[in-house]
Amino acid sequence: MNITVFITFCLIVLARITDVTLDTIRTVAIVQGRRNFAAVLGFFEAVVYICAVAKVLLNMNHPVYAFAYGLGYASGTFLGITIEQHLAFGDQLATLVTRKGVELSRVLRVAGYRLAEVKAHSPDGDLTILYAEIRRRQAKNLIQEVLAVDDDCFCIINNVNVAQSIARRSLSRRPQKG
């Protein structure tokens, strides 16, 4: 492998890492309804993709370029997921089912979480269900704080997506009473 082939190999890998990373983040942005952000990412992703695929297809006499293409794709997928998890865009709804509702809600409110509280009954006794809307990046901290108070607490974390913005829009359109 001469130096030109090696440099081209590296450039193809880097281009694919770049475009697949952008694609992964763009896909999450689409799911979350972030149209403008997704469109900008899509533009840059497409430009980089065209350059990489053209280089491979125009140089099929170097099969190592196809390997570079695949290596970049796999690496870009991994890197894109890692970056997206680090950025942690969006909101989540934490549902906490506990027998220590009074204590847990007090601790979480002091920590700054807004909570909705529901009393529940099960065959094993009374329960409290706490709901907290949190930023995705807060989820790990919330769970640590919850388990410090009640290590038997049952935690469910759900993503909050489009329904949130629909609910806010419909609430703002309701006529005011009075």
Side-chain angles (χ1 to χ4, degrees):
M1 180 183 306
N2 66 36
I3 191 71
T4 304
V5 172
F6 178 75
I7 290 172
T8 303
F9 177 92
C10 291
L11 290 174
I12 291 169
V13 169
L14 289 174
R16 288 302 287 161
I17 288 172
T18 301
D19 91 83
V20 175
T21 298
L22 291 174
D23 180 52
T24 304
I25 296 169
R26 182 185 61 83
T27 301
V28 173
I30 289 169
V31 169
Q32 292 180 349
R34 299 169 184 268
R35 292 182 304 220
N36 294 335
F37 184 59
V40 170
L41 290 177
F43 171 81
F44 290 106
E45 170 200 342
V47 170
V48 173
Y49 170 79
I50 291 297
C51 294
V53 77
K55 193 64 172 173
V56 172
L57 293 177
L58 292 173
N59 293 286
M60 290 304 290
N61 57 327
H62 295 290
V64 71
Y65 291 170
F67 180 77
Y69 188 89
L71 180 63
Y73 188 90
S75 301
T77 300
F78 182 85
L79 183 62
I81 292 170
T82 302
I83 289 172
E84 194 284 324
Q85 287 174 341
H86 180 73
L87 293 173
F89 292 130
D91 295 323
Q92 294 186 311
L93 179 66
T95 304
L96 312 167
V97 181
T98 181
R99 295 193 187 287
K100 299 180 179 181
V102 173
E103 184 181 353
L104 184 57
S105 64
R106 181 183 51 77
V107 167
L108 294 178
R109 282 190 174 101
V110 167
Y113 295 99
R114 289 182 17 201
L115 301 174
E117 190 172 329
V118 177
K119 299 296 180 189
H121 306 284
S122 76
D124 298 329
D126 291 340
L127 298 168
T128 301
I129 303 171
L130 300 172
Y131 295 98
E133 184 179 354
I134 57 173
R135 302 294 300 165
R136 268 187 58 209
R137 60 178 53 104
Q138 292 177 306
K140 288 181 183 178
N141 291 338
L142 174 70
I143 291 171
Q144 288 174 349
E145 292 179 53
V146 166
L147 295 177
V149 174
D150 181 5
D151 58 356
D152 290 328
C153 184
F154 183 69
C155 303
I156 303 168
I157 307 284
N158 293 304
N159 289 331
V160 177
N161 292 326
V162 176
Q164 175 190 32
S165 63
I166 291 170
R168 285 188 180 159
R169 267 188 267 141
S170 65
L171 288 174
S172 66
R173 290 185 195 154
R174 289 186 185 165
Q176 297 295 321
K177 290 184 181 180

